[in-house]
Amino acid sequence: MIIDSHTHIFSPDVIAHRDQYAARDPFFGALYRGVVARMVGADELIAAMDAAGIERAVVCGWCWQDNGICIEQNSWLMDIARQYPTRIIALATVQPNAGADALCELHRCIAGGARGIGELNADGQNFRLDDANFLALARAMSDANFPLLLHTNEPVGHPYPGKGTLALAEVYAFIKQFPNLRVVLAHWGGGFPFYELMREVRRVAQNVFYDSAASPLLYRADIFKTILQIVGSEKILYGSDFPLLLYPKRQAEPGFAPFLDEIRALDLAPRELENILSGNARRVWGA
Ligand SMILES: [Zn+2]
């Protein structure tokens, strides 16, 4: 079984009116204004999953700056998850700065069948991990045993739209406060796994996981073995960032197969591969 732990889909309304949403939300606009990045709906996601033999996908909408748009889109995505109960695991987004309204939306989404919050983006949504509002949200999530998918990215290398400046020290201070909260740091944690070689960080990060979203655009495929060696296969989640084109030079349309082929070609031990491709996702998202 394969579970992709990091995909994005949009409602028909957002796809049809992307420029209007881009005007309302500068971070969304930076990535999606015009025809820069691809957007797909639920049916296209399911068709692509079928084509590549992917059984389930963890689906994020978008990290909207306006909590009102988060609420609308969460309602849509939870409906989709009810429509495809064996295929789609919905995550909800909130704007932490909305305070009590964000907490209220968290509880509505827990009751509505979402399996976690994410992908939140501190740079894109203009919050800090030590803001009182965000800490209150994290406390409520930790108490409800509800996991978080947080965008992180590598602090070095070439710039690209959406590359943020969230510091790994901020991430560390945050997870230290919530040792029981399951946190998935997207895009290999922006390099955070390296610091799990420090015993104190390893202890604090016992409920921290890493996904491989967008990996082929950023890293050589050896990164799987390298990070596996540091943190173990129990902490790595296969995620693609679909429908992002991971091989833009040789891929005309988004699809899951080339990245999966690259992972399979690594010759990981069967148990490691099973953990990465589905086992860890089932444990983290309760799927
Ligand atoms: Zn991301």
Side-chain angles (χ1 to χ4, degrees):
M1 194 214 271
I2 301 176
I3 303 176
D4 188 319
S5 277
H6 190 137
T7 66
H8 295 273
I9 63 173
F10 289 95
S11 72
D13 191 63
V14 177
I15 292 174
H17 304 111
R18 63 196 279 168
D19 286 339
Q20 286 172 30
Y21 281 89
R24 287 168 73 183
D25 189 307
F27 186 63
F28 174 78
L31 280 100
Y32 287 99
R33 193 187 299 279
V35 288
V36 183
R38 281 157 196 273
M39 300 171 84
V40 298
D43 294 343
E44 289 157 284
L45 170 68
I46 295 286
M49 288 164 65
D50 287 344
I54 293 185
E55 199 149 354
R56 310 187 74 179
V58 177
V59 177
C60 318
W62 184 250
C63 51
W64 301 101
Q65 293 179 345
D66 178 340
N67 200 55
I69 307 182
C70 291
I71 293 171
E72 279 168 30
Q73 296 299 313
N74 292 339
S75 295
W76 171 76
L77 190 50
M78 287 190 290
D79 275 348
I80 295 291
R82 279 188 282 272
Q83 216 175 303
Y84 296 100
T86 62
R87 310 300 303 280
I88 286 185
I89 298 160
L91 302 190
T93 58
V94 294
Q95 165 55 276
N97 300 340
D101 288 348
L103 280 173
C104 183
E105 179 61 2
L106 165 69
H107 291 296
R108 187 183 76 98
C109 293
I110 293 173
R115 295 298 183 89
I117 292 290
E119 178 186 19
L120 294 195
N121 189 313
D123 289 286
Q125 295 179 292
N126 302 319
F127 67 87
R128 290 178 52 98
L129 301 190
D130 58 357
D131 285 344
N133 279 331
F134 183 69
L135 295 176
L137 183 74
R139 169 60 56 207
M141 292 177 66
S142 182
D143 290 349
N145 198 22
F146 204 60
L148 169 68
L149 171 59
L150 180 69
H151 175 89
T152 44
N153 58 237
E154 62 298 335
V156 299
H158 66 285
Y160 50 82
K163 184 163 178 169
T165 59
L166 175 66
L168 296 185
E170 262 190 78
V171 175
Y172 179 62
F174 170 69
I175 60 172
K176 209 171 166 182
Q177 284 190 70
F178 298 98
N180 297 319
L181 175 64
R182 292 196 301 288
V183 179
V184 178
L185 298 178
H187 316 290
W188 296 116
F192 194 91
F194 174 77
Y195 298 99
E196 286 212 24
L197 289 166
M198 297 171 75
R199 290 181 190 85
E200 69 203 272
V201 176
R202 175 77 182 171
R203 269 194 304 276
V204 163
Q206 55 185 310
N207 281 307
V208 173
F209 302 82
Y210 306 95
D211 81 29
S212 63
S215 191
L217 289 172
L218 300 166
Y219 298 98
R220 297 188 340 234
D222 323 32
I223 190 164
F224 277 86
K225 287 187 169 169
T226 305
I227 292 192
L228 197 153
Q229 212 185 359
I230 300 174
V231 304
S233 68
E234 299 79 11
K235 299 186 73 162
I236 299 172
L237 303 173
Y238 155 67
S240 62
D241 224 352
F242 182 89
L244 194 63
L245 285 183
L246 300 179
Y247 305 89
K249 288 189 183 135
R250 58 185 171 94
Q251 199 181 20
E253 292 300 321
F256 295 98
F259 187 27
L260 281 172
D261 289 345
E262 198 170 73
I263 295 169
R264 290 191 184 105
L266 293 170
D267 268 330
L268 302 176
R271 191 186 56 82
E272 293 169 343
L273 195 61
E274 201 274 333
N275 279 341
I276 293 169
L277 292 183
S278 68
N280 298 334
R282 282 202 300 273
R283 288 184 278 276
V284 169
W285 307 112

